[in-house]
Amino acid sequence: MASVPQQEVAIDLPRIGKGALLVGATVLAGATMIAVARVLTGMTPSTYEAKQVAILIHLATVLPAIPLGLWVLLARKGDARHKMLGRIWAVLMLTAATSAIFIRTINHGQFSWIHLFVPVVFIALFRAIRAARMGRIARHKQIMWTLYSAGLLLPGLFAFLPGRLLWHWLML
């Protein structure tokens, strides 16, 4: 008896999951923009960190990655626009993760626990691209949903914990 190759079943996030990601992305992007605006307008005490190139690069890549990533995940898949915007999002994520390596102000020059997300981003992007190139679209989609939530939104929300830089910018 010949074995029939099984076709991957495309997964999709339930409507409630998409809604939760939309709310999380909106809250994160809004809080980040408010925190940055407070620094730029002088509403919060100026800090040395506000002038660090790594932090500026990190914020400049994370801020557009939040809505762009959500758009790519929710919009039509497989066409040229999806592929182009997905590539742009991947570059933004790689740049954000790389710049995060150089942000070490909270731990006296050492890495903090939030740096654990850096290899998560690198590994997940590698696996997602490999899955797409191999035609394993369901796997690619699963990795990208996970990367967006666990590699972008979650560390972004953690960046607002008390004592962290964005918390100071937002609350002081």
Side-chain angles (χ1 to χ4, degrees), residues 13 18 21 73-74 141-149:
L13 204 60
K18 290 178 182 178
L21 283 180
L73 289 171
L74 296 177
K141 191 174 185 179
Q142 178 187 31
I143 294 168
M144 294 310 282
W145 277 110
T146 303
L147 175 59
Y148 185 80
S149 56

Side-chain angles (χ1 to χ4, degrees), residues 97 115-126 143 146-147 150-152:
H115 285 92
L116 293 172
F117 290 101
V118 171
V120 168
V121 170
F122 290 142
I123 292 166
L125 275 173
F126 171 77
I143 294 168
T146 303
L147 175 59
L152 180 61

